Amino acid sequence: MILEVAILNIKKGLSEAFETSFQKAESIISSMQGYISHELKKCIEQDDKYILLVNWETIEDHEIGFRKSEQYQEWKTLLHHFYEPFPTVEHYK
């Protein structure tokens, strides 16, 4: 199992809109081949900051299966405009 970790810094004041969009985006990621589970956690100390944890069967399921899919384009449309700066994504085993 591979854990994808992304720190998400949301543009100031857009957390509520981000959370609404993320609720729509959850169905996209959870339908992907190799997806196991995910958690989105809101930071207590810093407004507009989250951590996204996604468990995948393999790194290829995330990097190729998800990121190169049509569904990823919809994910991008729903979420990427909220990030500042764009998050670094790391994988752990």
Side-chain angles (χ1 to χ4, degrees):
M1 183 170 63
I2 299 297
L3 175 63
E4 168 197 354
V5 177
I7 304 296
L8 308 177
N9 292 290
I10 306 304
K11 293 175 185 171
K12 187 170 177 60
L14 294 181
S15 285
E16 190 173 314
F18 166 72
E19 289 179 19
T20 299
S21 287
F22 189 84
Q23 287 176 349
K24 296 174 188 171
E26 286 179 301
S27 65
I28 297 169
I29 199 167
S30 64
S31 71
M32 299 305 298
Q33 176 72 31
Y35 165 88
I36 297 171
S37 64
H38 73 276
E39 291 182 86
L40 179 70
K41 302 286 188 179
K42 186 169 176 48
C43 184
I44 294 169
E45 291 82 11
Q46 295 182 52
D47 290 339
D48 303 314
K49 185 174 185 179
Y50 297 78
I51 187 169
L52 175 61
L53 307 170
V54 185
N55 288 299
W56 297 96
E57 289 179 16
T58 68
I59 195 168
E60 292 80 13
D61 288 328
H62 176 232
E63 291 288 304
I64 298 167
F66 179 52
R67 284 201 173 160
K68 296 190 184 294
S69 69
E70 285 184 31
Q71 294 91 329
Y72 184 71
Q73 298 309 310
E74 186 178 352
W75 172 273
K76 277 176 56 173
T77 299
L78 285 168
L79 299 176
H80 285 196
H81 62 282
F82 289 108
Y83 307 142
E84 193 170 287
F86 195 79
T88 299
V89 176
E90 296 178 313
H91 298 91
Y92 297 82
K93 61 179 179 173

